[in-house]
Amino acid sequence: MSQRNEDLFARAQLRIPAGVNSPVRAFGAVGGAPPFMARASGARLWDAEGRGYIDYLGSWGPMVAGHTHPAVVEAVQAAAAKALSFGAPTEAEIELAEAICRLVPSLERVRLVCSGTEAAMTAIRLARGHTGRNLIVKFEGCYHGHVDSLLVKAGSGALTFGNPSSAGVPPETAAHTQVLDFNDTAQLERTFAARGGEIAGVIVEPVAGNMNLVLPKPGFLEALRAQCTKHGAVLILDEVMTGFRVALGGAQARFGIRPDLTTLGKVIGGGLPVGAVGGRRDIMERIAPLGPVYQAGTLSGNPVAVAAGLATLKLVEAPGFQERIEATTQALVDGLAAEAKQAGVVFCAQSIGSMFGVYFRAAPPSNLAEVMQCDQERFNRFFHAMLERGVYLAPSAYEAGFVSAAHGAAEIDETLLAAREAFRA
Ligand SMILES: *Cc1c(COP(=O)(O)O)cnc(C)c1O
């Protein structure tokens, strides 16, 4: 890393805590100064020094169509020229709500918010308001945004910095959250048997993407659905990351699970701030002003953000889009595993849809304890060796990776060539 990035990082730290506006960006886990980004196009990024990178972060998920896609940029420019914000309803919001409900049929009603965090916060409030119960069940290593009551044993940033539970969250708040192990069906069933009458809802990442990538074991999501139904609890699938990535209809389509509520974000904003909570009509109609569960937002359904989301969803639902991006992602992980094997490195990789995980471990992990067994020091070396060779991976061993529709054979070949050297670094 040469001087300009270092200078910007030093300057940023004088006014912004750690120099960043979201913790993992600070490169705390992997060390060094983060490149400061200047522009992006398709599968590639350029930093303040003009260095180019192949991007496997995709802004942490949203950029599924690739960066600065002309259709999205045009839609944003057209919307911005008409109005930046009204604080009044618009036709475009109906179109986005209709598109979301069509693509993810468990959503009978949907409300737009500005982030995944807000969506999760609203979903658990709805679950509590609907059931009149307080207890929320979540899973260790799953992240649902920085909502107080969900910031208990959360993944990614919280893990990276060794604060599984944040300071500033009252114990009384955390006491209403029961944390279980991802993929442990027996533990889930025991918990429901003991406390079923207290449980307002269960929130889960159906494919966990905030503790690296962890797939649900066969039967786990089905057990969640069955237990929630049996005990009258609300099943919330947090598809902020998996929505329009694991499949066009999200993980719920891929695994055939119909949740009561779903949270969305990332891709539905196409790079601008949009989140959504939606689901069963009877539960959603408890939200203000129809019902007693309060929720609001000055910039919710913002016309520029909604235009970006709509344009992105149009691209995502084009015939062949999912199949192509899924094949590219599979080629990437197969290639990485082959290069690691050649280099004699203990490593494996897997993908689902356009999300992938890389693990310095012999087999893919199935819960947080197994994720923690990955060789983090080896990851950090690999990360920096890849970065030096122009490949931008998530700066932490606890993050999933993302491929966009703009990634093709040229990017994969270039990435694997870099990996050949990086595995030997
Ligand atoms: C990113 C993420 C969130 C939080 O979304 P923000 O827009 O960052 O608030 C919530 N849940 C999951 C599964 C996520 O990946």
Side-chain angles (χ1 to χ4, degrees), residues 98-361:
E98 286 170 348
I100 290 169
C101 294
R102 176 166 45 78
L103 295 173
V104 191
S106 73
L107 275 69
E108 298 167 350
R109 297 288 186 276
V110 61
R111 179 156 285 176
L112 300 181
V113 294
C114 294
S115 68
T117 295
E118 267 186 272
M121 183 180 78
T122 305
I124 61 172
R125 189 178 300 145
L126 274 167
R128 286 169 166 156
H130 177 70
T131 58
R133 305 169 182 174
N134 287 331
L135 190 64
I136 297 290
V137 171
K138 80 173 285 281
F139 295 90
E140 195 173 26
C142 284
Y143 176 67
H144 307 291
H146 58 102
V147 183
D148 275 1
S149 59
L150 297 176
L151 215 48
V152 182
K153 301 204 172 177
S156 73
L159 272 182
T160 304
F161 298 98
N163 308 324
S165 337
S166 170
V169 176
E172 296 80 1
T173 303
H176 293 300
T177 307
Q178 170 85 48
V179 183
L180 303 180
D181 292 325
F182 193 75
N183 271 328
D184 190 340
T185 298
Q187 186 191 48
L188 173 81
E189 289 172 349
R190 278 199 308 277
T191 302
F192 265 101
R195 304 187 74 179
E198 298 167 56
I199 299 173
V202 177
I203 185 164
V204 66
E205 290 181 73
V207 170
N210 285 286
M211 49 169 163
N212 206 322
L213 179 78
V214 178
L215 298 180
K217 283 185 182 164
F220 177 62
L221 297 175
E222 289 80 357
L224 280 177
R225 178 64 278 175
Q227 290 298 315
C228 284
T229 302
K230 182 172 167 194
H231 294 273
V234 174
L235 176 59
I236 305 163
L237 291 190
D238 183 347
E239 299 235 40
V240 169
M241 185 184 283
T242 53
F244 316 101
R245 276 209 177 260
V246 159
L248 178 57
Q252 54 193 272
R254 190 159 189 134
F255 294 103
I257 303 293
R258 192 177 174 96
D260 302 307
L261 293 178
T262 298
T263 53
L264 294 167
K266 298 190 171 123
V267 167
I268 56 165
L272 270 67
V274 182
V277 55
R280 268 168 47 188
R281 177 179 172 178
D282 61 328
I283 301 178
M284 287 305 296
E285 291 191 345
R286 294 197 187 263
I287 205 166
L290 287 180
V293 177
Y294 196 69
Q295 184 277 336
T298 301
L299 294 177
S300 294
N302 172 271
V304 181
V306 162
L310 262 175
T312 300
L313 289 189
K314 267 196 197 108
L315 296 169
V316 164
E317 66 172 314
F321 182 98
Q322 295 292 337
E323 290 76 6
R324 214 169 45 245
I325 191 172
E326 184 159 343
T328 308
T329 313
Q330 188 67 50
L332 172 71
V333 296
D334 289 348
L336 287 173
E339 291 296 344
K341 196 169 173 198
Q342 286 273 321
V345 175
V346 177
F347 174 91
C348 62
Q350 65 180 350
S351 68
I352 181 165
S354 55
M355 290 169 62
F356 66 90
V358 298
Y359 323 91
F360 285 87
R361 186 177 189 275

